[in-house]
Amino acid sequence: IGPFDAGGSFRPDNLEGVWRFLNRFWSVISENWLEGKVSDKETSESKAIERLRHKTIKRVTEDLSNFRFNTALAALMECNNVLVKQQHDPVSQTRAYRKTLETMMQLLAPLAPHITEELWRITGHTGSIHMTDWPSYDEEMTQDETFTLVIQVNGKVRERIEVSADISENEARYLALDNPRVASFIGESTVQKVIYIPGRLVNIVVRNA
């Protein structure tokens, strides 16, 4: 499915992916919805699910507001893939997981009104899903906690490491220079300067001894 204004001929076989998604979506909710008590314990997995929920709300909200129905659906599919993969893990017993299932139903409601209305009913909700408030997101929760810091030596990529998203320039420089693999490429050369591009990379400029 492409942008709604792109035109093109209608082909039923193009809908197979959407049909598979809706079936998986139905299954993950109907098979994993937990009535009653769920775990409120926070784990790294439950925090990741909660962060994914906020990211998905933001993406779908912005895409629907701009009539980008294809990318809104893509965001829902990506979230659903994560839920499917984790449906048999301990995180599926947490409140964060159940809240994400609930939010997914609300976000999909404008695109699949009948399926989501039925799922809303069988999961014990009262009233129509189409009368509920649209989910809101916390902008801070849409930001990644970590990112991959690329380390270069004279412009050539020599290492990639996962670092905290709020890492300082001094910390990034230290990690780059202290990395054993990077050090092997520097060798006896003299470090002339270290260039840091926030959120992306550290480039160590060296001169041969």
Side-chain angles (χ1 to χ4, degrees), residues 22-170:
L22 291 175
N23 273 280
R24 296 180 77 199
F25 179 73
W26 179 280
S27 296
V28 75
I29 290 182
S30 60
E31 295 174 10
N32 295 281
W33 185 265
L34 297 177
E35 291 294 345
K37 188 175 181 180
V38 291
S39 174
D40 287 317
K41 182 179 179 181
E42 279 196 350
T43 64
S44 58
E45 290 81 8
S46 68
K47 289 179 181 178
I49 284 288
E50 180 65 7
R51 193 171 294 276
L52 174 64
R53 187 177 75 87
H54 284 269
K55 287 182 178 181
T56 305
I57 294 172
K58 179 179 181 179
R59 289 179 61 188
V60 174
T61 300
E62 293 178 349
D63 287 342
L64 291 182
S65 297
N66 290 284
F67 303 102
R68 297 192 297 262
F69 305 117
N70 57 318
T71 51
L73 185 58
L76 290 167
M77 287 180 171
E78 290 173 20
C79 184
N80 193 60
N81 286 340
V82 174
L83 295 174
V84 169
K85 288 180 181 178
Q86 297 186 335
Q87 63 181 321
H88 300 303
D89 296 342
V91 70
S92 67
Q93 310 295 312
T94 65
R95 188 171 302 279
Y97 189 91
R98 186 169 74 172
K99 183 65 176 176
T100 303
L101 292 177
E102 185 176 75
T103 298
M104 281 283 288
M105 286 188 276
Q106 293 174 294
L107 295 177
L108 184 61
L111 303 175
H114 301 95
I115 287 178
T116 50
E117 185 79 341
E118 180 64 11
L119 284 171
W120 196 250
R121 183 190 65 80
I122 67 176
T123 51
H125 294 86
T126 57
S128 171
I129 191 173
H130 304 293
M131 297 300 291
T132 61
D133 292 333
W134 187 254
S136 59
Y137 63 89
D138 182 341
E139 182 64 38
E140 186 176 330
M141 289 292 288
T142 67
Q143 307 302 313
D144 290 327
E145 290 186 301
T146 63
F147 72 93
T148 301
L149 179 67
V150 175
I151 305 175
Q152 300 177 339
V153 177
N154 285 348
K156 294 184 178 180
V157 177
R158 298 305 188 185
E159 183 66 292
R160 291 181 174 87
I161 58 175
E162 284 295 311
V163 298
S164 173
D166 59 0
I167 189 172
S168 68
E169 179 175 352
N170 286 338

